[in-house]
């Protein structure tokens, strides 16, 4: 290339990029802030389709995994999608990480229910491990399975390796001998929600019912602690009680250590984070796609004891968590004690139009507080 051509080419590139016309850059640095509840487009200018999601930070990049939703159905007709970002504002579409199957025998056949996928990286095996809530086709929400899928590449393709209930034949660590051996059965109760029934639930009525087949697992998240140990946190016992189960070193199985959290407390949509050696969990109540007031729990150890606190949301619409339901808490890299509350504003009549509510987690007297912002950016974390 002679000197003149080189100069012309350089000039052309400068002019095109100044005008924002280089195709690769078209939508890439479009956002410099978060606008909760507004349509959020990817690098192709298409609304991000990754609901009930979770974020993995790997090699200087954030990866967002979520449920692909259709125009009319909440069922899985595509699978789990993946987007990547280096700044948390601008997201590149990385395609489908876990695809549904065309095989009617597959547990993840098109039309099954795949919700709240979360991915963690196992440094020992070099594998990316995805857990998600799986409901088998045609059975509503009755199966209450967890699905586990694995990939060698962060963006996939992920391969389903197993699915089922949790910790079959094993008692939770925090159930007493008396509770384990009780003869009270769920068939003893004609009516739910009576004081006697609630007392029995707290005493592990449904843990005993599901002991042999394994504990139910619906809304869920994963958490990796500083020591590399990972935990599966899920709504169990007909969504009446959360359970936290420790995973094996390869993250593919359970160690058998698990606890019940807030028995009978009716918590779901768990999102967990750790700050200053203390564990925080934000959850919701159980009202399906409709929003309700968030709850907050804290613990000194991940396996508890967990203490319940009032709704961390403040201001207008706080009693509906700003019309949203928790899904994940993102630790912001490179900033101390900076966390983003990630939630979904579901639109069950047009699921694809569900909106993302990302808000900064602020702290008052050491406790997390959520406030609404029409628009905000990461500089909010600077003045701490
Ligand atoms: C919500 C749950 C969602 C989805 C929905 C179905 O309570 O958080 O993930 O399962 O119920 O009605």
């Amino acid at each position: 290339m002679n000197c003149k051509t080189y100069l012309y080419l350089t000039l052309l590139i400068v002019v095109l990029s100044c005008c924002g016309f280089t195709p690769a850059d078209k939508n890439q640095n479009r956002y410099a802030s978060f606008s909760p509840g507004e349509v959020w487009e990817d690098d192709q200018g298409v609304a991000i389709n990754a609901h009930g999601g979770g974020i993995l930070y790997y090699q200087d990049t954030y990866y967002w995994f979520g449920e692909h939703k259709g125009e009319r159905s909440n069922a899985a007709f595509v699978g789990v999608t993946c987007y990547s970002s280096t700044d948390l504002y601008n997201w590149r579409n990385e395609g489908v990480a876990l695809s549904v199957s065309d095989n009617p025998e597959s547990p993840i056949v098109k039309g099954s229910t795949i919700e709240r996928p979360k991915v963690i990286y196992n440094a020992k095996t070099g594998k990316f491990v995805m857990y998600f809530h799986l409901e088998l086709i045609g059975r509503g929400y009755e199966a209450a399975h967890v699905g586990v899928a694995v990939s060698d590449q962060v963006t996939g393709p992920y391969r389903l390796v197993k699915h089922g209930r949790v910790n079959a034949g094993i008692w939770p660590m925090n159930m007493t001998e008396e509770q384990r051996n009780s003869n009270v059965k769920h068939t003893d109760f004609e009516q739910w929600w009576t004081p006697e029934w609630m007392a029995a639930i707290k005493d592990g009525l449904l843990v005993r019912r599901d002991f042999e087949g394994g504990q139910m697992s619906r809304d869920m998240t994963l958490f990796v602690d500083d020591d590399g140990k990972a935990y599966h946190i899920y709504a169990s016992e007909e969504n009446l009680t959360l359970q936290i189960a420790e995973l094996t070193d390869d993250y593919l199985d359970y160690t058998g250590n698990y606890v019940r959290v807030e028995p009978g407390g009716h918590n779901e949509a768990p999102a967990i984070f750790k700050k200053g050696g203390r564990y925080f969990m934000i959850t919701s109540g159980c009202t399906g796609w409709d929003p309700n007031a968030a709850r907050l729990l804290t613990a000194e150890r991940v396996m508890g004891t967990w203490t319940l606190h009032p709704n961390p949301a403040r201001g207008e619409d706080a009693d509906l968590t700003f019309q949203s339901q928790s899904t994940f808490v993102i630790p912001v890299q490179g900033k101390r004690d900076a966390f983003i509350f990630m939630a979904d504003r579901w639109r069950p009549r047009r699921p694809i139009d569900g909106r993302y509510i990302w808000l900064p987690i602020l702290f008052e007297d050491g406790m997390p507080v959520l406030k609404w912002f029409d628009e905000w950016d990461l500089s909010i974390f600077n003045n701490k």
Side-chain angles (χ1 to χ4, degrees), residues 244-318:
I244 302 183
E246 187 184 67
L247 302 185
T248 51
D249 283 353
D250 60 7
Y251 300 165
L252 295 177
D253 213 336
Y254 298 100
T255 62
N257 290 337
Y258 76 108
V259 291
R260 306 174 72 215
V261 176
E262 276 295 299
H266 228 186
N267 286 283
E268 62 176 11
I272 182 172
F273 65 103
K274 185 181 187 181
K275 174 184 174 274
R278 197 169 186 207
Y279 300 86
F280 296 88
M281 182 153 59
I282 299 175
T283 68
S284 76
C286 301
T287 49
W289 301 116
D290 296 334
N292 56 56
R295 292 103 180 262
L296 173 69
L297 296 111
T298 58
E300 301 309 315
R301 278 181 219 89
V302 68
M303 297 293 260
T305 311
W306 287 86
T307 308
L308 182 67
H309 305 271
N311 183 357
R314 302 269 183 284
E316 201 183 321
D317 252 1

Side-chain angles (χ1 to χ4, degrees), residues 67 115-116 133 141 219 239 268-269 284-289 325 346:
E67 306 161 23
E115 290 182 344
R116 298 184 177 268
H133 170 197
Y141 276 82
D219 279 9
N239 293 348
E268 62 176 11
S284 76
C286 301
T287 49
W289 301 116
Q325 187 183 28
W346 304 112

Side-chain angles (χ1 to χ4, degrees), residues 116-135:
R116 298 184 177 268
K118 306 287 180 284
V119 174
I120 52 181
Y121 174 65
N122 190 294
K124 283 186 191 144
T125 62
K127 304 263 185 218
F128 298 88
V129 183
M130 178 190 290
Y131 276 52
F132 57 93
H133 170 197
L134 172 68
E135 293 295 347

Side-chain angles (χ1 to χ4, degrees), residues 212-223:
E212 263 176 49
Q215 302 298 310
M216 300 175 88
S217 174
R218 291 202 182 117
D219 279 9
M220 57 138 281
T221 193
L222 295 175
F223 177 71

Side-chain angles (χ1 to χ4, degrees), residues 82-352:
C82 178
Y83 294 81
S84 67
S85 171
T86 49
D87 62 9
L88 289 167
Y89 306 122
N90 297 284
W91 292 89
R92 193 173 112 134
N93 188 343
E94 298 283 358
V96 182
L98 173 74
S99 294
V100 292
S101 170
D102 287 322
N103 177 358
E105 302 297 314
S106 167
I108 54 168
V109 61
K110 265 185 194 154
S112 57
T113 296
I114 295 177
E115 290 182 344
R116 298 184 177 268
K118 306 287 180 284
V119 174
I120 52 181
Y121 174 65
N122 190 294
K124 283 186 191 144
T125 62
K127 304 263 185 218
F128 298 88
V129 183
M130 178 190 290
Y131 276 52
F132 57 93
H133 170 197
L134 172 68
E135 293 295 347
L136 304 174
I137 194 162
R139 288 173 53 181
Y141 276 82
E142 157 227 51
H145 281 191
V146 58
V148 181
V150 173
S151 172
D152 292 326
Q153 312 291 331
V154 58
T155 54
Y158 285 76
R159 181 176 54 86
L160 182 74
V161 288
K162 60 173 116 173
H163 69 98
R165 292 272 179 101
V166 178
N167 277 322
I170 302 172
W171 292 112
M173 293 153 79
N174 57 353
M175 229 170 117
T176 64
E177 278 303 310
E178 202 186 333
Q179 288 173 331
R180 294 176 192 198
N181 296 327
S182 162
N183 288 321
V184 182
K185 290 189 196 54
H186 75 285
T187 42
D188 296 344
F189 296 88
E190 271 173 24
Q191 250 191 306
W192 282 32
W193 303 109
T194 63
E196 298 74 28
W197 175 86
M198 185 45 97
I201 289 290
K202 289 184 180 169
D203 264 347
L205 183 74
L206 299 177
V207 178
R208 289 195 298 275
R209 181 196 71 181
D210 294 338
F211 181 74
E212 263 176 49
Q215 302 298 310
M216 300 175 88
S217 174
R218 291 202 182 117
D219 279 9
M220 57 138 281
T221 193
L222 295 175
F223 177 71
V224 182
D225 210 339
D226 304 330
D227 60 3
K229 273 217 165 298
Y231 301 85
H232 176 212
I233 299 128
Y234 51 100
S236 195
E237 303 176 36
E238 305 286 355
N239 293 348
L240 285 155
T241 301
L242 287 173
Q243 295 184 356
I244 302 183
E246 187 184 67
L247 302 185
T248 51
D249 283 353
D250 60 7
Y251 300 165
L252 295 177
D253 213 336
Y254 298 100
T255 62
N257 290 337
Y258 76 108
V259 291
R260 306 174 72 215
V261 176
E262 276 295 299
H266 228 186
N267 286 283
E268 62 176 11
I272 182 172
F273 65 103
K274 185 181 187 181
K275 174 184 174 274
R278 197 169 186 207
Y279 300 86
F280 296 88
M281 182 153 59
I282 299 175
T283 68
S284 76
C286 301
T287 49
W289 301 116
D290 296 334
N292 56 56
R295 292 103 180 262
L296 173 69
L297 296 111
T298 58
E300 301 309 315
R301 278 181 219 89
V302 68
M303 297 293 260
T305 311
W306 287 86
T307 308
L308 182 67
H309 305 271
N311 183 357
R314 302 269 183 284
E316 201 183 321
D317 252 1
D319 54 344
L320 294 178
T321 321
F322 316 113
Q323 312 276 350
S324 73
Q325 187 183 28
S326 43
T327 184
F328 196 75
V329 171
I330 311 167
V332 180
Q333 302 298 314
K335 291 188 188 271
R336 205 167 161 250
D337 294 341
F339 299 94
I340 299 175
F341 173 71
M342 202 175 153
D344 292 280
R345 185 174 284 171
W346 304 112
R347 295 256 164 97
R349 276 193 214 101
R350 194 160 180 260
I352 195 173

